[in-house]
Amino acid sequence: MINEGEGGALVEEWVELANGCICCTVKHSLVQALEQLVQMKESKLDHIIIETTGLANPAPLASVLWLDDQLESSVKLDSIITVVDAKNLPFQMNMPRDSSSFPEAFLQIAFADVVILNKVDLVSSEGSGVLEELEKKIHDVNSLAKIIHSVRCQVDLSKILNCGAYDASHATHLEALLEETKSLSTGNLHDAGVRTICICETQQVDLDKVRLWLEEILWDKKDGMDVYRCKGILRIQNSDELHTLQAVREIYDIVPARKWKGSENQVNKIVFIGHNLDEDILIDSFRGCTVAT
């Protein structure tokens, strides 16, 4: 937890939950602790940083913070930050499939909004292309993630706080991110089958059909696809507003963000990050949500 003290100095305070992993066994305790912090600090609370174990799956935690109605009225999920060891990343991503630690490297990168590529000093001497290759490995899994280089995890806090990754009002930022992702998304498939896919469609879509389509993909794991994260902008029928789409695992939200501008290209763009994604199936099935104009 970070507060701003006198003269703008940062004041850190800690609340430790020692009776289990906050991603699985103590979610209720975590919510209670956060609510108590908010009540105790009233309006003086600036940021809360939750640090999980190195093997944690961020999805359950993100779901609790994002969609707990009582908690969300006081606390907003800003972003998920993952620290990646630049020296060991190639080894971790090439580990055998039957290794118990194998999935976490992909899962944590897949769910991240910001990736801190740490220990870059240990690989910079290996050649100018090493860091570029590491960034490519990260973006092949999650092309939405912003990558920050660091040594000993020294990072400017302004780069990891107030990211607004789950803020529907940040439509302009999301559009720019999706446009960049379209060029980054190569469709390269890792041995793990974890990758990013971006689909586009110019026709307006029926909101009810989109919801049913999403639920089939997220809930029913359509054709064996397992979606970890999903972000997008939608052109909805009978609406002059740009709608944003956010999803974490089975939980999703579609909300109007702002009016479409007359000069901009009104296109549906959706990015999927997940396992065993099939681009053709996603494109073809999404076309079933379109409305002829």
Side-chain angles (χ1 to χ4, degrees):
M1 176 176 63
I2 297 178
N3 285 303
E4 188 171 311
E6 294 182 5
L10 294 180
V11 179
E12 297 182 13
E13 299 180 43
W14 299 89
V15 174
E16 183 177 1
L17 299 176
N19 59 328
C21 173
I22 60 176
C23 295
C24 49
T25 60
V26 294
K27 288 189 287 187
H28 182 65
S29 297
L30 172 64
V31 171
Q32 285 186 327
L34 290 174
E35 290 174 345
Q36 290 171 3
L37 280 174
V38 172
Q39 293 170 4
M40 180 176 61
K41 292 298 179 181
E42 297 177 346
S43 61
K44 298 179 181 179
L45 193 63
D46 297 317
H47 305 283
I48 299 173
I49 298 177
I50 300 173
E51 182 180 5
T52 66
T53 69
L55 297 178
N57 178 352
L61 182 59
S63 301
V64 169
L65 295 174
W66 188 20
L67 291 180
D68 185 287
D69 292 337
Q70 183 176 358
L71 184 62
E72 193 181 16
S73 63
S74 302
V75 178
K76 301 290 184 182
L77 177 60
D78 180 67
S79 62
I80 296 174
I81 303 166
T82 293
V83 179
V84 170
D85 186 324
K87 186 68 175 178
N88 291 312
L89 179 63
F91 170 74
Q92 291 172 329
M93 298 186 79
N94 292 323
M95 292 176 78
R97 290 191 182 193
D98 58 359
S99 170
S100 61
S101 62
F102 171 71
E104 281 73 19
F106 288 89
L107 280 173
Q108 293 192 6
I109 291 173
F111 282 106
D113 301 294
V114 179
V115 171
I116 300 175
L117 187 57
N118 191 38
K119 301 182 182 179
V120 295
D121 55 316
L122 300 183
V123 299
S124 57
S125 60
E126 298 177 12
S128 58
V130 174
L131 287 176
E132 288 81 356
E133 182 61 28
L134 291 175
E135 290 190 0
K136 183 179 182 301
K137 287 180 179 292
I138 293 170
H139 275 148
D140 281 347
V141 174
N142 179 355
S143 62
L144 289 173
K146 178 175 70 173
I147 301 175
I148 300 172
H149 293 181
S150 73
V151 176
R152 298 182 183 274
C153 271
Q154 296 298 308
V155 177
D156 184 344
L157 284 179
S158 66
K159 294 182 178 180
I160 61 174
L161 299 178
N162 298 320
C163 295
Y166 291 84
D167 188 347
S169 66
H170 283 205
T172 302
H173 170 70
L174 180 57
E175 289 174 86
L177 194 61
L178 293 176
E179 187 60 35
E180 183 179 358
T181 297
K182 186 179 178 182
S183 62
L184 286 171
S185 181
T186 61
N188 292 333
L189 191 64
H190 286 278
D191 290 339
V194 180
R195 61 168 171 169
T196 300
I197 288 177
C198 181
I199 66 172
C200 298
E201 173 59 50
T202 58
Q203 296 290 329
Q204 292 181 342
V205 292
D206 182 291
L207 182 56
D208 291 334
K209 290 182 179 179
V210 171
R211 292 186 184 279
L212 291 174
W213 171 74
L214 270 176
E215 289 163 10
E216 183 180 11
I217 293 171
L218 300 178
W219 299 355
D220 300 335
K221 313 297 181 186
K222 179 179 175 63
D223 293 286
M225 292 185 287
D226 190 5
V227 175
Y228 303 153
R229 289 288 300 273
C230 178
K231 289 189 176 186
I233 54 175
L234 300 174
R235 182 188 178 199
I236 302 296
Q237 179 191 28
N238 298 325
S239 174
D240 61 353
E241 292 184 295
L242 178 153
H243 286 59
T244 59
L245 161 65
Q246 290 261 21
V248 177
R249 283 293 195 185
E250 291 84 5
I251 299 174
Y252 73 91
D253 197 18
I254 301 174
V255 296
R258 63 163 175 81
K259 300 283 187 181
W260 283 103
K261 300 174 184 176
S263 59
E264 66 185 332
N265 189 19
Q266 299 184 19
V267 178
N268 301 282
K269 296 178 184 177
I270 306 175
V271 171
F272 293 91
I273 302 170
H275 182 259
N276 288 334
L277 301 183
D278 189 306
E279 186 172 6
D280 291 334
I281 291 176
L282 289 171
I283 292 173
D284 290 342
S285 58
F286 184 66
R287 285 175 179 160
C289 303
T290 60
V291 179
T293 56

